[in-house]
Amino acid sequence: MELNMNREAKVISKNVDVFYGNKQALFDINLEIFKNEVTALIGPSGCGKSTFLRCINRMNDVIDICKISGEIEIDGFNIYKQGVDVVRLREKVGMVFQKPNPFPKSIYDNIAYGPNIHGIAQNKQELDEIVENSLKKAALWNEVKDRLNEPGTGLSGGQQQRLCIARAISINPEIILMDEPCSALDPIATAKIEELIDSLKSSYTIVIVTHSMAQAARVSQRTGFFHLGKLIEMDETDKIFKNPNNKMTQDYITGRFG
Amino acid sequence: MNKELRRKKRYQAEKRFQVYGIIAISLAIFFVGILVTKIFSDGTSAFSRTMIKTEIKLDADLLGITDINNKDEVENADYYTLIYDEFTKSIPFSNDEEEKQIITLLSPDYEYEAKDFFLKNKDQLGKTVTILLTASDDFDQLHKGNFPRDIPEDRRRLSNFQLQIYDQLVKENKVTKVFNNYLFTKGDSRDPELAGFGGAIIGSFFTILICLIISFPIALMAAVYLEEFAPKNRITELIEININNLAAVPSIVYGLFALGILLNVLELPRSTALVGGIALSLMTLPRIIIPARASLKAVPPSIREGALAVGASKVQAVFHHVVPLAMPGTLSGTIIGLAQALGETAPLLLIGMVAFVVEIPGSPLDPSSSLPVQVYLWSESAERGFVEKTSATIMMLLGFLIVMNSLAVYARQKFEKKWN
Ligand SMILES: Nc1ncnc2c1ncn2[C@@H]1O[C@H](COP(=O)(O)OP(=O)(O)O)[C@@H](O)[C@H]1O
Ligand SMILES: [Mg+2]
């Protein structure tokens, strides 16, 4: 895999600690995520991967007991600084969840919702275009173009997840966070999503949490290994899977625990 | 062997338990059956009214009409004398007492009925026509078979002479039953045959409308705030406990509150649907808040996250997605709350909706009665005519309750999203 030599850090995490009430979930996380690459976060269940991912679009704000210290910079700007508008932040940082969660509305309305609330489209025609483009980018257009008015919840699991990706894309974010997007899907649907992720990385910076090491190896350029709330090691995916520096990483990827 | 025995015992215990259950359900059905049968057997006769057919000459002199096109004359003509004279003339009698007994066979409103008839048949002036006049309550009950004839005359409300007339009229085919439209169109009356629950239905309608207008938006907003926005702390916990307590407060307490504050301090008009509706909305508020919160809670968090993740603000996520999804449950809770309010009597008694109201209320600011209060009022009266009307009103009330509860079930089943 050839790597872009002058990589640009899109997201920088500096000394991030996260607490749920008294319980510390993340310990001093420092890492960089590069622009237009896929970064995978792996680690055993409960190690804090989702928690970290949700720090990047401040989704943890909705959890009352969740307290975060440290800094996360996006394009050099600390998103935890006082007075940051989370709505603007989430326009820039989209998210796809573990379980597909389309709105119980039509396929069209699922995609149109984001552009509508942000006033992105000037008129119906522009909105139609956005919907079409988003669905095309999410490789779903051909399957749904004739039934845009049917409920999004009526699609298959894999299609629902691509619909959610299309929904995330619709407001033109720069970063897309994916939290185990394939864990509820069958292998064929998974393959489609992986293909899609690969095609999206030229336009977006993608961070994907996955419990499947094979998936991390297939789709990502860089991989971070979390364990018990700590970032154990982060490096090029090739390096992590072939020759990790840390013994624990070695043990995890060879399936000795996790 | 011991094991075998124990297993047997377990099966027996299970059987026994099922039998208890079946007995309980049968008993419940039995009592409901008795109640419904009683109400229907008492109440169905209220839906018909006994009329007496009378031949009447529309005598211009008797009426005092000289010019048929003179509105004033027609309006103020002497319909009373017309009917009195013509009706007593149609039956032979020998003294004043008997004459009085004849005319009391008619309901006292006969002059208005005659006027209504004449206004529709002005061209018949001077001719002899057949007119149907509402019979008195006793006559009505006699014809419906509810009047005991075989007790001594001095303990009867109808004399032997009157019974004779009845038999004669029946023989001449002059007694007939018609659908009792008065029941639906009239307000209360001292005369059972002229009383209806029309006023009570309108009163109930206004009361429930006021109750809905006040309680629904407040309850919805309270539920949304508590469920989606309020910080989880001591104060909100306290509020939550109190809402649950309020739902259990006896309704008469709300009546006392309305009496003390709305009538005595704010001096809102007494006996009106406005005050009744406000009192009932206090009672209904917690009964809507609780199911509304449950419906909001049932909306999966993934929907909120989905909306937040595309940059919706919290308010947008809640009002664009969560509230619409919680609507079916909230609405069904609202309908059930309103159905309870519809059957509520005690608070309305306290604020004076128990008044004797003849006029059909035209607005929530008019004195009015309501269906359950009408039941209460009529059930106090001894006349057989009011007994059947009491049951008929209960039938009406039950009908409304069944419709409302079915609507609630329908709203829930039809519109509620299924979460796989
Ligand atoms: N909403 C929450 N409230 C309290 N504790 C939480 C919450 N979410 C996650 N945690 C805890 O934080 C730790 C990390 O969880 P998570 O980030 O979901 O792990 P992962 O995604 O790697 O499986 C776990 O111990 C979990 O119990
Ligand atoms: Mg997770």
Side-chain angles (χ1 to χ4, degrees), chain A residues 77-212:
Chain A
F77 182 81
N78 177 17
I79 61 168
Y80 281 96
K81 216 164 74 180
Q82 283 264 310
V84 168
D85 182 358
V86 289
V87 167
R88 293 280 307 281
L89 169 68
R90 289 179 195 148
E91 253 187 277
K92 207 164 150 179
V93 187
M95 187 163 199
V96 177
F97 298 85
Q98 185 165 357
K99 199 168 158 245
N101 61 345
F103 302 131
K105 297 176 182 242
S106 72
I107 292 170
Y108 185 95
D109 288 344
N110 260 283
I111 312 293
Y113 180 67
N116 265 337
I117 57 172
H118 296 299
I120 292 173
Q122 300 302 320
N123 50 42
K124 175 84 171 84
Q125 194 190 337
E126 265 184 59
L127 191 61
D128 288 349
E129 263 166 41
I130 291 174
V131 169
E132 180 172 341
N133 287 335
S134 306
L135 286 168
K136 275 181 175 157
K137 278 191 206 157
L140 189 60
W141 175 250
N142 286 330
E143 289 159 65
V144 301
K145 62 170 180 255
D146 301 321
R147 44 174 175 150
L148 291 176
N149 289 319
E150 285 173 30
T153 40
L155 297 172
S156 75
Q159 289 173 324
Q160 285 189 20
Q161 197 60 298
R162 276 179 282 148
L163 181 64
C164 291
I165 293 174
R167 182 175 72 189
I169 292 171
S170 68
I171 52 172
N172 224 351
E174 294 166 21
I175 303 168
I176 302 176
L177 310 174
M178 300 186 177
D179 192 351
E180 304 197 27
C182 303
S183 68
L185 305 182
D186 60 71
I188 295 170
T190 301
K192 276 205 177 131
I193 303 262
E194 284 181 9
E195 208 177 300
L196 174 59
I197 291 171
D198 205 52
S199 75
L200 289 175
K201 76 165 191 281
S202 59
S203 339
Y204 308 96
T205 304
I206 297 174
V207 187
I208 176 171
V209 166
T210 173
H211 62 264
S212 153

Side-chain angles (χ1 to χ4, degrees), chain B residues 270-283:
Chain B
R270 199 164 249 291
S271 310
T272 56
L274 176 69
V275 177
I278 297 175
L280 291 182
S281 65
L282 296 175
M283 190 192 85

Side-chain angles (χ1 to χ4, degrees), chain A residues 18-21 23-26 41-54 60 63-66 98 179-180 209 226 228-229:
Chain A
V18 177
F19 295 82
Y20 289 110
K23 185 168 171 280
Q24 189 162 5
L26 287 179
L41 305 178
I42 61 170
S45 156
C47 65
K49 308 179 295 288
S50 299
T51 301
F52 180 73
L53 198 69
R54 292 162 61 92
N60 284 328
I63 301 169
D64 284 337
I65 56 167
C66 188
Q98 185 165 357
D179 192 351
E180 304 197 27
V209 166
F226 282 73
L228 294 178

